[in-house]
Amino acid sequence: MSGRRFAKPTCLLKGTALPFIFFTAFPDERIRAQALRAGAICYLTKPFDGDSLVQGLRAALKKQDS
């Protein structure tokens, strides 16, 4: 099962506060847009730098606090 296929119904569940960060080897912008629409907080393509990972984790934590 793909991450996008798993994330969409999970994010739609009431009371779900599970943030998704996608790590992928697919730099395709269409796939990135689909993942973000499915509920991803961050979409990182491999190889990714440490700053991008930290920003994604901060976004996930921020969403969890709200």
Side-chain angles (χ1 to χ4, degrees), residues 40-55:
I41 289 177
C42 186
Y43 185 91
L44 299 173
T45 56
K46 299 173 190 173
F48 53 88
D49 64 296
D51 289 337
S52 296
L53 176 58
V54 169
Q55 288 174 351

Side-chain angles (χ1 to χ4, degrees), residues 6-40:
F6 173 80
K8 191 169 186 171
T10 304
C11 287
L12 294 176
L13 293 174
K14 292 194 185 259
T16 300
L18 182 64
F20 288 92
I21 298 175
F22 280 81
F23 297 94
T24 183
F26 301 106
D28 187 313
E29 283 300 313
R30 288 181 309 148
I31 294 173
R32 180 182 184 277
Q34 290 172 355
L36 293 173
R37 279 194 304 271

